[in-house]
Amino acid sequence: QVQLVESGGDSVQAGGSLTLSCTTSKYEYSRVNCLAWFRRAPGKGREGVATIDSGGSTYVVDSVKGRFTISRDVAKNALYLQMNSLKPEDTAMYYCAASTYYCRWGDFRYWGQGTQVTVSS
């Protein structure tokens, strides 16, 4: 079991920035091969946003490329999502997720409770 705790969600104006954080224990962090951010917008399904693997390689989906950056701090057992130039369509519940296997969207088995991001126009 990997427990994840997100924070950083807030309400912002379009064009603004937010940084989401996700932390876990040192032991659990060492078991994880890939971390990711997902989001679920009102009335929509869950969408993968970005991944970062144990080697530091990152991937972000086209809809946020150039605006969102995923990063991690191994010393702090933490995962981050820096979100710039936010748009109303970025409004969603954002979830941190962990995989002990690969970085494919279907491999993530451990989830945080979510943190709400609301972007107003």
Side-chain angles (χ1 to χ4, degrees), residues 13-27:
Q13 297 274 349
S17 298
L18 281 175
T19 300
L20 305 183
S21 301
C22 174
T23 58
T24 186
S25 71
K26 181 177 182 179
Y27 169 72

Side-chain angles (χ1 to χ4, degrees), residues 4 17-18 28 34 41 45 51-52 54 65-66 69 71 73 78-79 98 114 118-119 121:
L4 304 163
S17 298
L18 281 175
E28 291 171 332
C34 191
T51 64
I52 184 166
S54 57
K65 193 169 291 183
T69 302
S71 64
D73 186 329
L79 172 73
T118 302
V119 185
S121 57

Side-chain angles (χ1 to χ4, degrees), residues 5-12 17-23 36-40 49-50 67-73 78-84 86 90-97 113-119:
V5 180
E6 303 103 329
S7 61
D10 205 345
S11 296
V12 297
S17 298
L18 281 175
T19 300
L20 305 183
S21 301
C22 174
T23 58
W37 288 99
F38 288 75
R39 66 185 180 184
R40 187 189 297 272
V49 176
R67 300 189 298 121
F68 290 12
T69 302
I70 188 171
S71 64
R72 61 179 188 165
D73 186 329
L79 172 73
Y80 304 103
L81 185 68
Q82 175 66 46
M83 305 185 294
N84 298 324
L86 283 161
D90 294 319
T91 294
M93 184 72 79
Y94 283 73
Y95 298 91
C96 169
Q113 81 288 352
T115 187
Q116 179 67 38
V117 173
T118 302
V119 185

